[in-house]
Every structure is written in structure tokens, then in C-alpha cells.
Amino acid sequence: MSDMPPGLDLFHAGHRTRLKWHRLRLSLDAPLFSAETMALGFALGASMELDLRVRGDGGFVVLHDADLSGETSGHGLVCENSGKAIRSLRMRAGGTAPILSEDLVSLLTKAHPEALLQFDMKDRLTTIGARGLDHLAEHFSKAGGSIIVSGRDLDLIVAIKNRLPEIPRGIDPTDKLVDILATGDTAAVEAELTADLQGPTEPDMIYLSWPLILNAQEAGLDLIGLCHDAGRRVDAWTYNLKSRHAGFSDTEWQQFSTLMALKPDQITTDEAPATERAWIARITPGR
């Protein structure tokens, strides 16, 4: 693996696009939320993403599902179990202990200056409550540019902005924009996204699915350009090659090169090294 691209970023027309490691993995067949992969990313300065669920004691754990049985050896709702109880469990994929938010604090202090860890909050503000916000403020108020907090619950993002104003924030308006675009009303799509860009969350990053971005472009609307004009960055999610060994098919290359021409700031992928390798193979003459 040492002679393979690490899967950090791509360059096109003078623009750098980071490759974000989706759910802390470097290939689709790797375990989710690998502490080993996170440590590697911190050392290399990678952009990474993990999901957080609130625990019963107000802390958080790196899990996607609301119920422990989906990803761990445990049972019951995550929000009803303590950190001590969850730490004794094992992840179904990989057999390691779940990562608690307290574990992240020490790891962040050793991170490469360019490392960026996205906390994708899977619970709503009503579930996280004051205890969860207190926990975030106590443990991550000094994390600065090392983390970015995102979520679909805009009330939660506003609450986090008020408690931790120095932490960058992200929002994902994809679902509603897809629905509006399906009506053919591109002006309404632009108006809705503009409202989010100017809204109370004051987002730093906008997460948009890559098919939405390409469909809007085909309809004459540059969503990435709209965000850039407002001083916001864009993460295009989640692009995975059908074959990490074969690289881009002609159809995939047409899609991906069109996406890259729009200059996203990040592309979320479960196949970062393979994507970087495939990109280099396509843009390097004679390869």
C-alpha cells in the first residue's frame, strides 16, 4: 500500500478538491469507523467523516444507527446507554470497541494541521438536549479548524453555533433541492439554496449529492458556483467507483470530470485511494 496514492486530494485547473474519507474508511469492503484509519488520516492531514449518536449520559459515540444492535454487539437505543456500557461492546465489523467522543479529544490534539474531521450529527436537538450541547462545549470548544459539525436538523446547527461559534458548521439541503428540481423550477432551487446560505446556521460547508449537482448543471444552474459566490465551500457526496481496480469507465469519467470542472471543495468517497489513482491515470498522458 505504501506506493499507492493516499487518497487526499485531486487538482484540476488550479483548484484543489479534497477527498473526504466517508465513515472513516478507505475502501467499500473496509470496516466502518476504523480508529486505525482515523489515526492514519490525522497523521496525513486527511479530510474525514464520522457519524455521532448521543449517549444516555450526554456524551457521544461514533455510530450511524440509533439502535446499538445495528453496528455493535449490544442492544437497545444508543441514547439510553452510558459511555461505560458502550465501551464494553464490540463493533460487528472489525471487532474493535466503539469510539467515544472522549477518545476523539486526545486524538485531535495530535492531528496534522490540515486534518479535518466532520462530526455528522445523526440525532435531533430534541434528543441531544442541553446535556449533549454541554458535552460538546466542554470537550471541543478549542478544536478550532480541526473539526466541522454538520447535520440535517437546522435547529441543532443553530444551537451549536450559539454554544461553539468558533467551530465551522455544515448543512445538507439535498433532499428538498432534489424535490424542487424535479418540478423543473430552477429559480425556486436557487432561491431555496440562497435562503439557506444566508440563514441563521451561517454554514461554512454545504453538502450536496453529486447527482443533484450534475442534474442542476444540466438544467442550467451551477449550485457550486452559487455557494462559492456566497463564500461557502461545497462537499459533493458520495462518489464511489464501480470497480476500484478498473478505474473510471467512460460513463463514470464523463460524470466525474464534469463534476471536477465545477470545482467542488471536497468529494466524499469510500474509495479515496482508488479514486485518486483512477484520476491520475486519466489525466496523465501515456498511462
Side-chain angles (χ1 to χ4, degrees):
M1 290 288 290
S2 61
D3 59 344
M4 294 176 62
L8 297 178
D9 42 37
L10 310 176
F11 294 89
H12 176 69
H15 181 77
R16 178 195 185 196
T17 297
R18 305 188 76 177
L19 294 173
K20 187 184 74 187
W21 301 359
H22 187 221
R23 299 189 188 179
L24 296 180
R25 62 179 177 178
L26 292 173
S27 63
L28 280 167
D29 56 5
L32 295 177
F33 307 127
S34 163
E36 182 180 354
T37 299
M38 181 166 58
L40 174 63
F42 279 144
L44 295 177
S47 178
M48 301 172 283
E49 180 258 5
L50 52 76
D51 299 331
L52 284 184
R53 285 283 181 182
V54 70
R55 309 184 316 240
D57 54 15
F60 294 83
V61 60
V62 180
L63 291 173
H64 176 275
D65 296 346
D67 196 289
L68 288 166
S69 62
E71 296 161 275
T72 78
S73 58
H75 299 278
L77 294 176
V78 177
C79 65
E80 295 178 353
N81 281 266
S82 68
K84 182 179 180 180
I86 292 173
R87 194 182 289 280
S88 68
L89 305 177
R90 288 295 176 264
M91 298 292 289
R92 293 190 180 280
T96 58
I99 302 169
L100 303 186
S101 48
E102 292 86 347
D103 303 326
L104 299 173
V105 177
S106 59
L107 289 169
L108 283 167
T109 63
K110 306 168 187 175
H112 186 287
E114 287 207 334
L116 179 64
L117 186 59
Q118 177 191 346
F119 289 180
D120 195 8
M121 313 299 289
K122 292 304 181 183
D123 293 302
R124 301 184 66 82
L125 176 60
T126 50
T127 303
I128 291 173
R131 291 180 70 191
L133 292 175
D134 288 344
H135 181 92
L136 291 173
E138 178 184 353
H139 290 84
F140 299 105
S141 61
K142 297 180 180 179
S146 296
I147 66 172
I148 181 169
V149 180
S150 67
R152 291 180 182 249
D153 182 2
L154 298 189
D155 291 337
L156 171 62
I157 301 304
V158 171
I160 290 173
K161 180 191 73 171
N162 293 335
R163 289 298 303 272
L164 296 96
E166 69 282 359
I167 300 298
R169 297 167 300 280
I171 61 172
D172 186 346
T174 292
D175 288 347
K176 64 180 178 180
L177 297 183
V178 166
D179 290 342
I180 299 171
L181 186 62
T183 70
D185 191 346
T186 56
V189 174
E190 181 174 356
E192 188 68 25
L193 179 54
T194 299
D196 281 336
L197 295 173
Q198 298 173 350
T201 61
E202 298 181 6
D204 299 273
M205 184 82 76
I206 310 299
Y207 297 91
L208 301 172
S209 74
W210 69 264
L212 167 65
I213 293 170
L214 294 190
N215 290 338
Q217 174 70 9
E218 188 174 351
L221 180 58
D222 181 0
L223 297 179
I224 295 178
L226 187 65
C227 294
H228 284 172
D229 288 345
R232 313 302 196 220
R233 294 174 293 162
V234 175
D235 179 304
W237 59 266
T238 298
Y239 192 95
N240 289 322
L241 292 160
K242 289 184 175 64
S243 170
R244 79 170 70 101
H245 304 294
F248 290 111
S249 67
D250 289 342
T251 298
E252 287 176 320
W253 179 246
Q254 182 180 15
Q255 294 169 338
F256 196 83
S257 59
T258 300
L259 179 62
M260 284 292 291
L262 296 171
K263 300 184 177 181
D265 301 283
Q266 285 192 154
I267 293 177
T268 297
T269 178
D270 296 273
E271 295 279 358
T275 302
E276 183 178 0
R277 187 169 64 249
W279 172 261
I280 292 171
R282 281 279 186 165
I283 67 172
T284 303
R287 293 188 59 166

